[in-house]
Amino acid sequence: MGTSSLDTFITTTLGLTKLPPFLPTFFYSFVGFSVVHLLVAPWVSRKWFPEAYGSKNKRAQNTWSIHIVSQAHALLIVTLTLWALSAEPASHSRAFGWDERVGYTHAVACGYFLWDSLDAIVNFTDVGFVVHGVACLFIYVMSFRPFVAYYGLRCLLWETSTFFLNIHWFMDKTGRTGSTAQFVNGIFLLSAFFGVRLMYGGKVSFDFMCTLIEVRHEMPWGYIFVFGVGNIVLTGLNWFWFTKMISALRRRFDDDKNGERRRLVTTTHH
């Protein structure tokens, strides 16, 4: 299929009229995150964390690399999102608004979510990761109609909490579990997750559903269904992961306190 035929298929058959100019960005994003996953992350990990990384089995090393890719994406996409928001026209339509900066930012996100979905399927650990990756991929690709890119841009700010989540994970794997640094990072993590994903994200999700209802007669039912269900699923996952994070943090620091008490009792007896 030639370039013109591909463009025609995307714009006419799929209805993604804004996607063709951003296909190279989509492609390079996917390749870039794949290269970080398969080449850069293992090399960096062996060089900087030879014991912590080198002692792991193949599956655990892959998980380590996934967190490095996730961290790279979080830093890049939040920066791009703020860049796009800084030039957003005040009169932007929440349902059908579009500009070039949104296109580049969404294309980078699509490349990442394609990589994320494939990895979650190939290296399966949890159905939640598969659902999250596939749902995000479909939603962000379909935004190139254009449709609700206004909300897609704002939802990418959710990745702010991912930055602290990955730091927390790496502290666990490098012998800093229960440390003061991890405790402080945990406060930032919960604050960012609660503030950005649950409070701000909850407001964005509610406004998003209102917009879907308003334009339900102007769009194919498939779009309304995918975006509506995707919004509910992703919001539900945010609350589910938040409760899991609180439980994990409490358990981690409670275990550390219990260990300290046991050491004090042992010392006293001796």
Side-chain angles (χ1 to χ4, degrees):
M1 184 181 289
T3 303
S4 59
S5 299
L6 177 61
D7 289 354
T8 301
F9 173 76
I10 291 173
T11 57
T12 304
T13 306
L14 299 182
L16 304 175
T17 61
K18 300 295 184 180
L19 181 55
F22 301 99
L23 280 176
T25 303
F26 187 161
F27 174 74
Y28 292 133
S29 172
F30 171 70
V31 171
F33 287 119
S34 299
V35 168
V36 172
H37 178 209
L38 299 174
L39 300 177
V40 177
W43 181 82
V44 169
S45 301
R46 290 191 187 95
K47 185 176 180 63
W48 290 358
F49 308 100
E51 293 184 10
Y53 177 81
S55 61
K56 301 291 189 297
N57 59 34
K58 187 175 181 180
R59 190 177 188 86
Q61 288 181 347
N62 182 67
T63 301
W64 187 292
S65 295
I66 289 172
H67 280 274
I68 291 180
V69 179
S70 173
Q71 192 74 329
H73 172 256
L75 290 169
L76 177 59
I77 208 65
V78 170
T79 301
L80 286 174
T81 300
L82 294 174
W83 168 69
L85 287 172
S86 68
E88 184 180 62
S91 59
H92 233 201
S93 166
R94 294 190 175 193
F96 307 111
W98 187 263
D99 64 56
E100 191 175 64
R101 293 192 181 197
V102 172
Y104 283 117
T105 304
H106 278 211
V108 171
C110 286
Y112 171 78
F113 288 128
L114 176 57
W115 165 83
D116 185 41
S117 299
L118 292 175
D119 179 79
I121 294 169
V122 173
N123 300 296
F124 182 85
T125 57
D126 190 305
V127 69
F129 296 135
V130 177
V131 172
H132 178 268
V134 172
C136 287
L137 176 61
F138 269 88
I139 286 172
Y140 278 92
V141 168
M142 292 170 72
S143 73
F144 282 89
R145 185 176 178 90
F147 186 55
V148 294
Y150 172 94
Y151 294 106
L153 205 58
R154 283 154 177 79
C155 287
L156 288 174
L157 290 176
W158 294 1
E159 291 300 303
T160 302
S161 64
T162 303
F163 174 78
F164 299 105
L165 178 63
N166 286 323
I167 291 176
H168 187 86
W169 189 89
F170 282 115
M171 285 185 173
D172 268 348
K173 305 306 176 185
T174 55
R176 295 174 176 83
T177 301
S179 65
T180 300
Q182 191 181 52
F183 177 75
V184 172
N185 181 75
I187 293 174
F188 280 112
L189 169 58
L190 291 178
S191 299
F193 201 101
F194 183 78
V196 179
R197 284 186 181 254
L198 302 186
M199 294 296 95
Y200 174 74
K203 174 65 166 56
V204 169
S205 295
F206 176 79
D207 291 343
F208 178 70
M209 291 301 289
C210 291
T211 298
L212 282 184
I213 294 172
E214 289 174 6
V215 301
R216 67 187 183 279
H217 299 304
E218 302 175 51
M219 295 293 296
W221 71 268
Y223 273 76
I224 303 300
F225 177 79
V226 169
F227 280 89
V229 172
N231 183 50
I232 293 171
V233 168
L234 295 176
T235 301
L237 283 173
N238 280 339
W239 281 100
F240 173 70
W241 285 333
F242 185 66
T243 58
K244 287 189 68 174
M245 280 168 34
I246 292 177
S247 298
L249 285 169
R250 289 183 60 181
R251 184 169 59 252
R252 185 167 290 116
F253 286 100
D254 284 346
D255 289 346
D256 186 63
K257 288 179 181 178
N258 291 335
E260 185 64 30
R261 292 193 192 100
R262 286 193 293 270
R263 285 192 291 273
L264 287 173
V265 170
T266 302
T267 303
T268 302
H269 282 305
H270 284 291

